[in-house]
Structure formats: structure tokens, C-alpha cells
Amino acid sequence: MGKVLVLDHPLIQHKLTYIRDKNTGTKEFRELVDEVAMLMAFEITRDLPLLDKTIDTPVMEANTKVLAGKKIGLIPILRAGLGMLDGMLKLIPAARVGHVGLYRDPETLKTVEYFVKLPLDINERELIVIDPMLATGGSACDAIQALKKRGAKQIRFMCLIAAPEGVEKLKEEHPDVDIYIAALDEKLDEHAYIIPGLGDAGDRLYGTK
Ligand code: PRP
Ligand code: URA
């Protein structure tokens, strides 16, 4: 069964408060999402494999470590996932990036896939699917299914805010996927919005609606 990790570092909690605040404008919202994504990347990469390396310091020979060079792929779910991509790339600059375009039909709440473009070797990469919100879990589950259908084997999912309903669905449909969350909220409202949440992540990032 995949792990569910709540990354509640004080810096993340502090920034998330301002992300949630309805008085935070688009520019500041975008900057804060970028910063939290970078802080989450720090935690998510905690188990990256290392290799021994011997180097000469100015004083003596030292046995040290370097990254083993695990291949990583970042997969933002369009469009709100893009808001977290640059923050992730600041810490994992060599990662390849794939895009999965999905939107949630507001009437049916079902996801509609409109774009998928992935690195060729996704079957060899550790993929991190990125989306600020895990609400009903439909988008995350369908995005992960789209990746598995194309050969992906190792997948993690990260989001800013999750509802318990979305976590349960994701655990049930994709028990092999570890889930990284900055905050686990109370529940969904009758329109499948996370409460207390932050509103519509895409609209707040891009100043739409
Ligand atoms: C939002 C969000 C997730 C999805 C979560 O995207 O970014 O992708 O809703 O909801 P779910 O867990 O119930 O599927 P939205 O569909 O609004 O599209 P957007 O990113 O283009 O704004
Ligand atoms: N998508 C969002 O952007 N916000 C929610 O609360 C739920 C789905």
C-alpha cells in the first residue's frame, strides 16, 4: 500500500495560510505556490539514491556522496499543476517534464483528457505527478491511469491540499502510488470543492473566471 505523507514543515504551513487567504492576489499566490512546491520537492527527494565518491578537499582525501542520477519525470496536470512545476525544477533541474491535460466537467464532475505529451522513456523514470488539489480524486486517478497505460511503472503524486475523499479514492485505485500532501483538509462541499481549501487553484493562479 502506498504511503500518505503530510509535509507539514512550519515554512510550508505558514505559506499555505497565505495561499488559502482569499485576499491574496494572483502575483503573490503564484509566488507562494512556487515556493511551497520547492519546499515539498526537498522532502520528496529525501530518498534519492546516492553513490560513494572520493574527492580531494584542500586538506585531504574525503569519502563523500553524490546523487546516483536516478531518472526523474515531472508530470504537471494541466493547467493548475503548471503552477508548481518551476518550484520543483529549481531543486530537480535535470528532470524531464511530461504534460497531462485534464479538466473536471463542472456538471458531471467527470474528467476529460485533452492533451498527453510524455518523455519517451517514462517506463524507466520515477514520475512525480503534480497538481495543487486532490478533491474527488478523479483527475489524479485518471492522470495516473493515462501514465500507466503508456508504460509508467514508478509514480508518486504530490499536491498542496487534499480532501480525505480524494486520498481514499487514490489509495484504492492506485495502491502503488505514494501521496505527498502539504495539508489534509476536512471534506468536500456539495460542488466537490475542498473545504476550507483555497478555492479554484487554476483560476487563482492565472487570474481567470
Ligand atoms: C482542478 C485541480 C485538479 C482537479 C481536482 O483542476 O487542479 O486537477 O480540479 O479535482 P478532482 O480531484 O475532483 O478531480 P480543474 O479541473 O479545475 O482544471 P484546471 O487546472 O484547468 O483549472
Ligand atoms: N479543484 C480546485 O481547484 N479546487 C477545489 O477545491 C477542488 C477542485
Side-chain angles (χ1 to χ4, degrees):
M1 180 60 80
K3 293 177 286 190
V4 180
L5 291 120
V6 180
L7 307 178
D8 55 359
H9 187 286
L11 287 174
I12 294 179
Q13 291 192 56
H14 174 84
K15 289 175 192 298
L16 202 50
T17 297
Y18 293 97
I19 288 173
R20 290 180 187 276
D21 190 332
K22 69 174 186 185
N23 296 314
T24 299
T26 304
K27 173 179 178 286
E28 200 187 345
F29 184 90
R30 213 179 272 152
E31 288 166 357
L32 287 163
V33 169
D34 180 72
E35 288 166 16
V36 171
M38 191 178 71
L39 293 168
M40 291 183 78
F42 191 72
E43 294 282 353
I44 293 170
T45 51
R46 189 172 279 284
D47 61 352
L48 280 183
L50 294 167
L51 290 177
D52 294 326
K53 184 175 169 75
T54 304
I55 52 141
D56 294 314
T57 77
V59 183
M60 63 174 287
E61 191 176 274
N63 295 320
T64 57
K65 305 277 183 195
V66 287
L67 288 170
K70 190 172 179 63
K71 291 173 154 190
I72 293 182
L74 302 178
I75 317 287
I77 302 180
L78 305 179
R79 72 191 151 137
L82 282 180
M84 298 175 75
L85 178 63
D86 284 350
M88 294 291 291
L89 283 171
K90 280 181 194 139
L91 287 203
I92 320 171
R96 296 292 166 91
V97 179
H99 295 84
V100 176
L102 294 177
Y103 68 89
R104 189 174 72 157
D105 185 304
E107 302 295 322
T108 63
L109 299 181
K110 291 214 164 30
T111 55
V112 181
E113 183 182 302
Y114 61 88
F115 185 77
V116 179
K117 189 84 179 170
L118 302 170
L120 277 180
D121 55 356
I122 52 162
N123 58 328
E124 293 169 25
R125 290 185 180 268
E126 175 87 41
L127 302 180
I128 305 175
V129 177
I130 307 172
D131 195 323
M133 309 303 275
L134 179 64
T136 63
S139 306
C141 286
D142 291 358
I144 290 167
Q145 196 50 44
L147 297 175
K148 286 184 174 174
K149 201 168 79 184
R150 292 164 175 86
K153 300 212 163 44
Q154 292 171 277
I155 305 176
R156 304 177 190 205
F157 176 81
M158 70 180 288
C159 66
L160 295 183
I161 300 181
E165 295 89 331
V167 173
E168 281 316 305
K169 182 176 166 75
L170 187 47
K171 275 167 60 181
E172 199 177 300
E173 289 194 19
H174 298 288
D176 53 313
V177 171
D178 289 343
I179 307 170
Y180 298 82
I181 302 168
L184 182 60
D185 273 12
E186 205 182 307
K187 59 178 181 177
L188 298 176
D189 72 7
E190 64 278 18
H191 305 293
Y193 269 80
I194 300 176
I195 52 174
L198 55 70
D200 187 300
D203 284 345
R204 294 200 61 195
L205 272 167
Y206 299 112
T208 47
K209 176 110 56 74

